[in-house]
Amino acid sequence: MIIGVPKEIKTDEFRVGMTPSGVMELIKAGHSVLIEQGAGLGSGFEDSLYVNAGGVMLESAEDVYAGADMILKVKEPIEVEYARLREGQILFTYLHLAADKRLTEVLCAKKITAFAYETLRVGRRLPLLEPMSEIAGRMATLFGAVHLGRYFGGSGRLLGGAVGVERNRVLVLGAGVAGKSAADAAAGLGAEVVMMDINTERLTYLRDVMAPNVTMLYSTHDSILECIKTADLIIGTVLLPGAKAPKLITHDMLSLMKKGSVLVDVSIDQGGCFETSHTTTHSHPTYEVDGIVHYCVANMPGMYPRTSTVALTNATLPYAIKIASTPLPALLKDELYVCALNTYDGDVTNEAVADAHAMPYKGIML
């Protein structure tokens, strides 16, 4: 199969869909790889490294899309890329279609076989989401702490406090990979941390492995209402695979919070878990609503593209090889890849995405 790796062009995105070593592995598996010139530069990979690995360097994204049977990316295609998609192509990337009806319609119209990193399941795990969730969780605490600074519009509280000064409070909504990483980082900085989730089994496990300054609470509307009153930093990491994130903090609830506190919405790719969230960029990461600082960058790991690219492609490479090496009818008899499939032959094949946009859903028969 001919695999294409175009340059990411979403604002402030410097990751790349495959490393030179990954290209070498794809070629060893019998495939050809087309690379857009400069695709890896943001992650520190020179064009020559791809050529030395056996990739074919092309000058334009149009050439990559035109020549490839399968496109490997990091982020979902943006509007300028829609016309480049070729009917019947395979697309393997983060899609987050529940937050993007227009892209969903385009993928259906072009009969794209679209596999989403974020819905590929192995048991209860989402292995292609986990590496970026870990990075985004750590970043949520670090950048939340920075934006508590008065210079950035925050309350002027140092997250871990100081000798003779009370420790500040962090509320983490969601106890998955991102939530645990955020809580670990906050606890390490000396904050008082509360983690909330509705999975009591997960909360029990985390109670036994987390630092003593992390408290586990079952998530209800009332418990969230109480905790936001004293929180200095609130990090939202809730995830319903493929679906829009639930709105756990409404606009009205902001009035209960301390002025200058910070909301970090890690769930913004899936529409955000705060009612007042809207997508921001690394260049302009925050805005204020009713005295509350909002940080809602949709591609947080893109801030650290070298680490993020290597971590992501280490996870995606085996699945990319499998998709490229297996006839599609056989691949769609494997439940793992059916879970990852979001659109196929003009239909939405992920029920959560279909529900989000009130579009018809067509399941794949195994």
Side-chain angles (χ1 to χ4, degrees):
M1 181 176 286
I2 302 174
I3 299 166
V5 182
K7 183 177 181 179
E8 298 294 325
I9 57 174
K10 187 167 184 173
T11 303
D12 297 333
E13 181 56 68
F14 300 102
R15 289 172 289 180
V16 62
M18 192 51 60
T19 63
S21 62
V23 168
M24 184 178 293
E25 294 301 318
L26 286 163
I27 292 169
K28 283 167 61 178
H31 308 292
S32 302
V33 184
L34 310 178
I35 312 289
E36 183 183 353
Q37 247 179 21
L41 293 179
S43 295
F45 298 113
E46 300 287 339
D47 288 348
S48 60
L49 296 175
Y50 288 100
V51 173
N52 292 340
V56 177
M57 193 64 58
L58 299 180
E59 289 188 3
S60 70
E62 286 80 5
D63 290 340
V64 172
Y65 279 89
D69 305 307
M70 172 177 168
I71 298 294
L72 273 180
K73 283 179 49 55
V74 177
K75 294 300 293 179
E76 71 282 353
I78 62 175
E79 189 167 356
V80 70
E81 295 173 292
Y82 294 171
R84 298 172 184 166
L85 290 165
R86 188 159 47 78
E87 185 164 325
Q89 266 179 332
I90 296 173
L91 176 64
F92 192 32
T93 189
Y94 287 120
L95 285 170
H96 301 292
L97 292 183
D100 195 338
K101 185 175 184 179
R102 174 64 181 139
L103 176 57
T104 307
E105 292 171 339
V106 168
L107 295 179
C108 288
K110 295 209 167 193
K111 296 186 177 181
I112 302 297
T113 300
F115 294 98
Y117 294 161
E118 73 274 9
T119 62
L120 189 147
R121 285 179 176 271
V122 177
R124 294 185 178 183
R125 294 179 54 229
L126 299 170
L128 305 189
L129 195 60
E130 288 173 2
M132 298 303 95
S133 295
E134 180 182 6
I135 291 171
R138 291 178 184 171
M139 288 181 63
T141 295
L142 296 176
F143 283 84
V146 167
H147 286 89
L148 276 171
R150 177 60 84 181
Y151 181 82
F152 294 100
S155 61
R157 292 178 167 87
L158 180 63
L159 195 60
V163 174
V165 182
E166 67 175 346
R167 294 192 291 187
N168 302 122
R169 295 175 175 85
V170 177
L171 171 62
V172 180
L173 300 171
V177 174
K180 181 181 182 299
S181 292
D184 275 336
L189 290 172
E192 292 183 5
V193 184
V194 173
M195 293 188 74
M196 304 185 78
D197 204 289
I198 58 173
N199 184 335
T200 54
E201 182 180 352
R202 176 69 172 173
L203 292 176
T204 300
Y205 164 73
L206 291 176
R207 180 196 62 191
D208 295 335
V209 301
M210 299 291 286
N213 52 325
V214 182
T215 301
M216 309 297 157
L217 288 181
Y218 187 80
S219 181
T220 66
H221 179 69
D222 286 344
S223 62
I224 293 172
L225 278 179
E226 285 304 309
C227 286
I228 66 174
K229 295 175 183 177
T230 58
D232 300 290
L233 170 61
I234 300 174
I235 298 171
T237 70
V238 294
L239 174 69
L240 301 175
K244 282 188 176 179
K247 306 299 183 186
L248 299 185
I249 295 179
T250 65
H251 193 161
D252 291 343
M253 292 164 69
L254 299 187
S255 64
L256 301 175
M257 297 172 59
K258 295 189 287 187
K259 299 301 180 186
S261 54
V262 176
L263 293 175
V264 178
D265 199 338
V266 179
S267 306
I268 192 65
D269 274 336
Q270 293 292 124
C273 60
F274 310 134
E275 186 180 24
T276 46
S277 292
H278 64 74
T279 300
T280 61
T281 66
H282 289 294
S283 300
H284 300 92
T286 63
Y287 58 93
E288 186 179 307
V289 178
D290 296 346
I292 308 301
V293 178
H294 290 58
Y295 181 100
C296 305
V297 176
N299 61 328
M300 290 176 66
M303 172 71 78
Y304 301 103
R306 180 68 179 216
T307 298
S308 298
T309 290
V310 175
L312 175 62
T313 57
N314 284 345
T316 60
L317 178 60
Y319 299 100
I321 292 174
K322 177 74 171 181
I323 291 171
S325 303
T326 308
L328 201 53
L331 199 66
L332 297 185
K333 294 185 184 299
D334 186 327
E335 185 176 0
L336 185 151
Y337 293 95
V338 170
C339 286
L341 190 67
N342 279 213
T343 67
Y344 174 64
D345 197 28
D347 297 309
V348 178
T349 55
N350 181 290
E351 190 168 8
V353 171
D355 289 346
H357 302 310
M359 295 175 71
Y361 160 68
K362 184 174 181 179
I364 299 295
M365 300 298 292
L366 295 173

